[in-house]
Amino acid sequence: MGPLPELLAIDGIMIVVAAWFAIGLVGIAALHDFRLVGRVLFPLSAVLSIAISGLALYALPGAPQTAVLAIGLPDLPFHLRLDALSAFFLALLGLASAGISVFAGGYFRQGEGTPPGLLCLHYHLFLAAMAMVMLADDAYAFMVTWEVMALSSYFLVTTNHRIAEIRRAGFLYILVAHVGAIAILLCFGVLQANTGDYTFANMRAQSLSPFWASCAFLLALFGFGAKAGLLPLHVWLPEAHPAAPSPVSALMSGVMLKTAIYGLVRVNFDLLGSPLWWWGVVALVVGLATALFGVVFAAAQVDMKRLLAYSSIENIGLIVVGLGLAIVFAAYRMHSLAALALVASLYHCVNHALFKSLLFLGTGSVLHATQERNLGKLGGLMRYMPWVAWTSLVGVIASAGLPPSNGFVSEWLLLQGFLFTGELPNPYLRMLVPVFAAGVVLVAALAGYVMVKFFGVIFLGRPREEKLASAHDAGGLERLGLLWLTAGCVLLGLFPVAVIEVIDPITYALVGRGLAQSGRAGDWLLLAPVSAERASYSPLLFLVVIATVVLLAFVLVRRFYHGRVRRAAPWDCGFPMQTARMQDTAEGFGQPIRQIFEPFYLMKRELPSPFDAAPRYKVTVEDPLWGWVYLRIAAVTEALSRWVGMLQRGRISIYLLYSFLTLVTLLLFTQA
Amino acid sequence: MNLEGFLAQLLAVAAALAGAPLLSGWVNQCRAWLQNRRAPPITMPFRTLHKLFWKESVIAHDASPIFRVTPYIVFGCMLLACLIIPTLSTNLPLAPAADAIALVGLFGVARLFISLAAMDIGTSFGTLGARREMLVGFLAEPAFLMVVFTASLISSSTSLATTVSTLGHREFAILPSLAFAGLAFTMVSLAENARVPVDNPATHLELTMIHEALILEYSGRHLALIEWAASLKLFAYSCAGFAIFFPWGIAEASDSVAFLWALPALAAKLAVGGFALALIETILAKMRIFRVPEFLATAFLLGVLAILVHLLLGA
């Protein structure tokens, strides 16, 4: 017997994927056994998630590893490859899904449509497919796993399939996903440049003419944009996320959207070679429009999961802005700056994966405890659900992009990237890019508004409904999941230098430069992407100073004065008839934004007349793009199909005539 | 960290803690004089703080821990802001912890917490205050960042200490970009510090107040900390303005003689700035709340213009 073959990280990852698949199959065997699925299978899957992120992080700095998996069609095996970029996104998948899976173990309950075992199968197929998308090294493997991912997530979205609205949301999702998949397929078709070889290695070797390269770029932006939720293909997000169970929303928003970002980075920086500068501008424009649109709509939402869905659109927009900036810099061969912008984007990917999963899971616990998604019927939950509230607070601070959280680090890096655009050789770009920076800043500030609304209306104030007083806190497994993600947010916020060192091999591979050399400045504490003179930020020092001041103030006030407290009724300017209904509703809190950004919305107001005995005020906010784009496409499609439908006469003689005419035409054709 | 830097940092803390209430007192004094009233003594804010610290804190039954920790967090944020802005000297060991962008984020953290605390009790005025504060905040923050960007582009650094030493060494000339940025900065500071024409610090008329509505439920030591933090914020904004637009007189690292001059220079600048603030507050009227977005959008656009002017004219 020869020596055992050495096991590479990629083999380990494939074993984990297979184990996920096996867990799904066990789930099918135990279709209705809640205890087994929830207490054993999901926690086990979380352990596998940690294993996959460990393996990926271990493999990240190393050389790319490849494997060939002989499944699928004959002579067309799956080519797999684990390089720094795949490893990074696999680590992201593992970190986020570990928390989500543990939470899911405590979350899924009896009587919610799909039986638990089937749900377990869909869930793990989804996880396995996402991992395989990131490993795929040929278009065939990529598209197959991409489709498995779309289908399994479709079944997860429609878990509560007895509700018509949810089926509709699921249909919209699968429709947009497939339109996107067609574009991706075409993009790979362009990239292989008539060689007939669909491996990524071949695509890397081809050098396309600028026209075809631009075609590939635009197709990739469209195709992956549909998955990521870029404007105007974002419509499925605010429908699918509220429809799906919360752990599924978390997985889709936190991880699945990132597979689209992975695809964009893979195509633009790896397969396409040297980019053109205007691609970056297109990405900047689309990204900024998406971000602004997402955040403005998030501010107007009254459904908490819909609010988070729009917030995801905003974050994806910011990530694409970072990619656009990286493309611009890369096109002008300013490689260190391209690395800076790329790091900002990738960093934001992990951040968003963690904090958005955390917030979605928080809404899941709230939903279970109260059966309410409407913000206007929540409130005061901090008292009844302290675990969920405090962990959500961390997510809220991160999502608002405030120091010392992780959300701020990526925002800071992105803004630093913008500050270097003065060195661009193109004068028009030099003028244009600061305007984008201004837009990004506006989006970041608005995100703060949205997050105060989200947290304040759900967790603070007084309960707006009586039944909220019986709300219960999250269970043990749910708490564990929330804590895992919270810890991730905090650590990523406090130790940015370590994270950037992890990202470094990716930027070396993609744009040829890294940040860690300059970013270190000889100090693990201080993040300084260019030089300490130029800019620096140290979240740990930042937090320590604030904590010291807080403690000192706390102690000194008690030392020199006193710490007495008296509990009393709220003062509220002495108004005695205060009720919980007098607090701002979600509509009320979003009203200033609706007024300022009125042209963005399609708003319908129903105002009561002064003589109404029972006055009702109603305002609905809708997405104008639905009417401008989708309904028009639908109308055109319908008109076309009606036109084509004229052929359909329902009489056999006419169909025979068609056959005859076709035959004659073909004969004429072959004659000539 | 050397001894000199440590001393400079300590002096900056002392200057901020003592100077901030004095600045508020001075502004109140000037405003009283301009309005033909008898002025309270300049140390009045200290007496108010002392009085408030002695009183007991009355807290609503429903208040969550967020309500109680917020005053400390806000105070901590504002003090950190005063520590990283070069007030007396650019030799600050803590300055690398946060650059100008992080400074804007720091004010954002304070705003987030105070808004959440205002929503915590669940009164109608509290949520009204939180909503308005966030409205002012989300408009003012980008405008402030645009100002910061202009200064950073000129000095090619977002570190405030580097900005001060770069701008302090240039010849005296009114750069058009800095002029635009200065105007934007003034408007933002008025809004962020709850001053006329955006908010009136002296009113308790319920329907018009912003800052006062936020802190309506606070009393005793919590209120004292918030009031102190508010004056620290005014001090921080003033010093940030001086650092960017009038950096003369701030001591360089390892320049002990200049350090002696820094304190009188700062006092003189604050005296003039405080008087200007009182003048603005006297001659302007408070605007309607929905005029505020226009006011701040103007500041934002001025900030963007400042950047464009710098990039186009290189000035």
Side-chain angles (χ1 to χ4, degrees), chain A residues 9 13 45 81 120 128 133 135 145 156 194 218 223 297 304 327 335 420 447 479 490 582 586 588 592 594 605:
Chain A
I13 286 171
S45 137
R81 184 163 179 267
C120 177
V133 163
L135 282 180
T145 48
L156 285 170
N194 283 334
L218 291 176
F297 266 79
M304 58 181 176
I327 294 175
H335 294 297
F420 283 100
R479 281 181 202 175
V490 171
M582 290 178 190
R594 286 211 313 272
R605 283 202 194 82

Side-chain angles (χ1 to χ4, degrees), chain B residues 92-108:
Chain B
L92 298 172
L94 281 180
D99 65 347
I101 300 176
L103 178 73
V104 178
L106 190 60
F107 289 127

Side-chain angles (χ1 to χ4, degrees), chain A residues 420-455:
Chain A
F420 283 100
T421 50
E423 296 167 14
L424 284 170
N426 184 332
Y428 294 104
L429 272 183
R430 264 211 306 274
M431 267 192 313
L432 205 60
V433 175
V435 180
F436 287 116
V440 168
V441 169
L442 182 65
V443 169
L446 265 169
Y449 192 103
V450 171
M451 284 300 129
V452 165
K453 171 178 164 171
F454 175 80
F455 190 81

